[in-house]
């Protein structure tokens, strides 16, 4: 459960960092720089460390739920399941909204050659920021559920 909580916290922190810094900083850039920067960020994030956290939060939370299904773990079980459900919602938001927007941005081509970077940005930015905020809130709630599950589990063990 500790590993699940850490992975969930890292995921929530990533989305939070986008919400309160990355997108605010890119939002101050001109259209071409915004598109180029976001395309580069989208390519850079596809790495093993990100995948380990992104998938790890799901897998480790599911394992924690299985391990707490019976016996002394029952007090924490509901909170772990709540975290798992919330993280599935994060995945749905990510795969259903943010990733398709990222793919559309990439399909626009090299930012230096885009005829109308303002139009590309307009189709991307507002929707992406809105959905990122949604997954930030949901993932933070999942992190909170796992944190509370740890508290409950600690009370049972002690």
């Amino acid at each position: 459960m500790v590993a699940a909580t850490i992975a969930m916290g890292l995921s929530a922190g990533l989305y939070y960092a986008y919400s309160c810094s990355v997108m605010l900083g890119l939002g101050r850039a001109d259209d071409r720089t915004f598109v180029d920067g976001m395309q580069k960020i989208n390519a850079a994030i596809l790495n093993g460390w990100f995948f380990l956290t992104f998938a790890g939060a799901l897998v480790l939370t599911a394992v924690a739920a299985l391990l707490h299904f019976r016996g002394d773990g029952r007090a924490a079980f509901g909170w772990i399941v709540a975290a798992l459900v919330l993280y599935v919602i994060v995945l749905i938001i990510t795969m259903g909204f943010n990733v398709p927007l990222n793919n559309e941005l990439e399909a626009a081509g090299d930012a230096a050659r885009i005829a109308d970077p303002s139009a590309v940005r307009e189709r991307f930015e507002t929707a992406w920021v809105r959905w990122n905020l949604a997954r930030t809130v949901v993932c933070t709630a999942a992190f909170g559920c796992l944190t509370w599950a740890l508290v409950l589990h600690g009370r049972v063990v002690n």
Side-chain angles (χ1 to χ4, degrees), residues 8 16 34 41 50 58 78 108 138 143:
M8 193 69 72
Y16 176 74
F34 175 90
I41 289 169
F50 169 73
L58 177 68
V138 175
F143 178 56

Side-chain angles (χ1 to χ4, degrees), residues 52-78:
L52 186 63
T53 301
F54 186 71
L58 177 68
V59 172
L60 293 167
T61 303
V63 169
L66 290 172
L67 293 174
H68 288 81
F69 181 67
R70 295 178 187 231
D72 292 342
R74 294 292 289 164
F77 178 73

Side-chain angles (χ1 to χ4, degrees), residues 28-113:
R28 295 180 178 145
D30 65 82
D31 296 333
R32 195 170 306 282
T33 301
F34 175 90
V35 171
D36 183 53
M38 199 63 202
Q39 285 176 335
K40 287 182 170 125
I41 289 169
N42 288 339
I45 200 166
L46 299 176
N47 64 68
W49 291 110
F50 169 73
F51 182 74
L52 186 63
T53 301
F54 186 71
L58 177 68
V59 172
L60 293 167
T61 303
V63 169
L66 290 172
L67 293 174
H68 288 81
F69 181 67
R70 295 178 187 231
D72 292 342
R74 294 292 289 164
F77 178 73
W79 291 98
I80 299 168
V81 170
L84 185 59
V85 169
L86 289 167
Y87 195 68
V88 167
I89 293 169
V90 169
L91 296 177
I92 291 168
I93 292 169
T94 300
M95 303 312 271
F97 300 99
N98 292 95
V99 169
L101 287 165
N102 291 346
N103 292 341
E104 191 177 309
L105 189 66
E106 184 61 30
D110 184 352
R113 293 186 170 84

Side-chain angles (χ1 to χ4, degrees), residues 127-146:
W128 196 96
V129 167
R130 182 182 317 117
W131 286 111
N132 184 66
L133 179 59
R135 69 182 174 175
T136 300
V137 170
V138 175
C139 197
T140 301
F143 178 56
C145 288
L146 285 178

